Amino acid sequence: MEAKVTGLAGLLFGEQIAGRIDALAAITEAPGQLTRIFLTPEHRAGAEMIMAWMREAEMAAHLDAIGNVCGRYEGERPGLPCLMLGSHYDTVRDAGRWDGPLGVITAIACVADLHARGVRLPFAIEVTGFADEEGVRFASTLLGSRAIAGTFDESALGSKDRRGVTMRQAMQTFGLDPDHIGAAARAPAEVLAYVELHIEQGPVLEAKHLPVGVVTAIAGATRLAVELRGIAGHAGTVPMALRRDALAGAAECIVAIEEFCATDRDGLVGTVGYINAMPGATNVIPGMVSFTIDIRSPRDPFRKLAVADIVRQIEEIVKRRGLQLDINVTHENRTVPCAPWLQQQIAAAVMAEGCPVFELPSGAGHDGMAMIDITDVAMLFVRCRGGVSHNPAEHVEAPDADIGARVLLRMIENFAPKG
Ligand code: HGY
Ligand code: MN
Ligand code: MN
């Protein structure tokens, strides 16, 4: 496929992208760190900033029924099916600023370049900023992309955040109608494909000295919520042998999870990212502990067996320590393949921009895991320094952001719908 020459010569995407990354990163709930969570004032402010950029690029922009930002750049004539681009604009707590926003900002930059050159394509381009990919506020995740895919689970509306606010209440406070989420769903016929540019969030591209990579698959994940209950007591008077210490029990479980995953099991990874011990006083034996577990593997059957083994080990520890246990799966995503026909078009664009083609899987989850329910998906990874992510030190060099944008734009201009 002969790549069309794009009008990128000399257009420095990288600097503009880096500037917008910084502007969006200034919208945070906690000065000094980046935290932008679903259905918060920061979510609203971030959406307004992104929609303004979309409108500058001659896109129609709106907030959909769950708070995704949706921008549309019409094709040669109005109403054509679209190539959907995008990523998420929510963050983890104390986040890096590139995870998510790079995909949204780069896609808008590509559309702005098309608009500047008066280019209209035989399909529309849509850019979606997903409102909740990280699943920080409520246990489930991919809420925005699931709403677009029509697979949003209404039971999630009853889930509560750490302050006891339900998603339903949070949506109403934000100004959205929780009974109207279905309006965000798109028909498969409207979407030709979903392609997401994202930082790698791992060390492989840097180790290979490559600026970009073509993603082959997105690893599946299981998230669990665990609650251990023992007996709160006086730290000075209860002999060790008589204690029902929920935190010591949790500690033994956490080490068991780490040891289970650390024995080389074909890419299996396990993380306890959140723990809360109650009542939380130095001189009180913790009576209740809640913590989360995140288990991933490139192979779904393997992950499911690992989850079952880990649950069994936790049950054994709890029984031996005389504790009580509640353990629930709060989120499950199967491993999602990137469509070969899309991978090939991304690879052609990578080559046309003078870069070697390197394929790699994604250990991180992405919105493509939901979007695959209505269309084929693919991803382009951009190198990030040290492979660091979910960390304020997360960083992309402007030249790499520039190459990522050039590859994405070339892929867009040469995009050939399936069949
Ligand atoms: O957890 C993940 O893999 C993604 O960053 N949400
Ligand atoms: Mn993330
Ligand atoms: Mn991400």
Side-chain angles (χ1 to χ4, degrees):
M1 173 192 320
E2 181 47 40
K4 287 183 207 131
V5 177
T6 57
L8 293 178
L11 180 72
L12 263 186
F13 275 109
E15 299 306 327
Q16 184 212 45
I17 288 170
R20 288 186 165 181
I21 288 280
D22 290 342
L24 192 56
I27 300 176
T28 174
E29 72 176 38
Q33 60 160 261
L34 172 51
T35 301
R36 188 167 55 245
I37 303 296
F38 184 44
L39 299 176
T40 60
E42 300 74 46
H43 170 180
R44 167 82 61 188
E48 294 299 336
M49 181 175 278
I50 293 167
M51 287 193 282
W53 291 334
M54 287 175 164
R55 292 173 182 131
E56 280 175 28
E58 201 65 18
M59 300 175 88
H62 72 283
L63 214 56
D64 75 3
I66 197 167
N68 298 316
V69 176
C70 303
R72 183 173 168 94
Y73 181 75
E74 289 297 347
E76 290 161 345
R77 60 183 187 282
L80 292 171
C82 75
L83 168 61
M84 189 180 285
L85 312 170
S87 190
H88 59 96
Y89 68 108
D90 67 316
T91 74
V92 293
R93 295 189 185 283
D94 197 11
R97 58 188 59 201
W98 298 83
D99 170 12
L102 180 63
V104 180
I105 290 167
T106 302
I108 295 170
C110 290
V111 172
D113 184 79
L114 293 171
H115 168 54
R117 290 184 282 125
V119 174
R120 293 284 174 172
L121 298 165
F123 47 87
I125 297 172
E126 292 193 13
V127 178
T128 305
F130 294 105
D132 179 271
E133 185 272 347
E134 299 287 5
V136 169
R137 183 167 182 181
F138 302 101
S140 49
T141 177
L142 304 178
L143 297 175
S145 41
R146 283 181 171 174
I148 285 189
T151 57
F152 179 85
D153 176 0
E154 303 272 338
S155 67
L157 290 168
S159 54
K160 292 182 178 178
D161 66 12
R162 290 181 191 170
R163 295 198 185 103
V165 176
T166 66
M167 192 188 302
R168 175 176 291 278
Q169 290 163 333
M171 287 192 72
Q172 289 160 341
T173 306
F174 189 82
L176 294 169
D177 176 357
D179 296 320
H180 194 58
I181 288 176
R186 304 297 297 276
E190 293 176 291
V191 187
L192 298 167
Y194 172 68
V195 176
E196 178 170 349
L197 178 144
H198 199 287
I199 56 171
E200 178 202 343
Q201 298 180 292
V204 174
L205 290 177
E206 187 172 68
K208 297 278 185 185
H209 308 291
L210 293 172
V212 293
V214 182
V215 179
T216 55
I218 308 169
T222 302
R223 290 186 183 185
L224 302 102
V226 183
E227 182 175 289
L228 299 187
R229 290 181 301 280
I231 300 173
H234 194 297
T237 59
V238 182
M240 295 307 284
L242 299 180
R243 294 185 176 202
R244 295 286 185 273
D245 184 333
L247 186 48
E252 188 176 351
C253 293
I254 294 166
V255 170
I257 292 164
E258 183 186 49
E259 285 176 351
F260 181 86
C261 295
T263 50
D264 182 29
R265 295 172 184 264
D266 187 25
L268 180 72
V269 288
T271 311
V272 174
Y274 170 78
I275 187 166
N276 181 42
M278 300 297 284
T282 305
N283 59 350
V284 178
I285 302 164
M288 197 280 281
V289 168
S290 55
F291 63 88
T292 60
I293 304 174
D294 179 316
I295 303 291
R296 311 202 191 184
S297 163
R299 292 188 297 145
D300 288 349
F302 206 88
R303 170 170 49 84
K304 291 180 178 172
L305 284 173
V307 169
D309 281 353
I310 287 168
V311 169
R312 242 191 314 280
Q313 288 194 40
I314 291 173
E315 287 168 341
E316 186 277 324
I317 292 165
V318 163
K319 185 175 178 206
R320 175 166 36 84
R321 286 175 169 265
L323 300 173
Q324 293 180 313
L325 168 68
D326 283 338
I327 183 165
N328 298 292
V329 172
T330 56
H331 164 77
E332 177 102 55
N333 255 315
R334 75 253 193 243
T335 296
V336 159
C338 293
W341 68 277
L342 284 172
Q343 287 186 54
Q344 283 151 20
Q345 295 194 30
I346 294 173
V350 169
M351 277 190 285
E353 285 300 327
C355 298
V357 174
F358 179 76
E359 297 177 349
L360 71 167
S362 172
H366 299 283
D367 285 297
M369 301 172 102
M371 291 300 292
I372 197 162
D373 286 327
I374 56 167
T375 191
D376 282 346
V377 305
M379 294 189 75
L380 172 66
F381 269 174
V382 175
R383 174 170 49 190
C384 57
R385 188 177 58 196
V388 168
S389 183
H390 284 188
N391 179 317
E394 186 183 276
H395 181 70
V396 171
E397 302 298 344
D400 286 351
D402 200 78
I403 291 172
R406 292 167 184 270
V407 169
L408 186 64
L409 182 55
R410 195 177 280 269
M411 186 262 168
I412 293 166
E413 288 201 84
N414 293 296
F415 176 66
K418 191 173 183 180

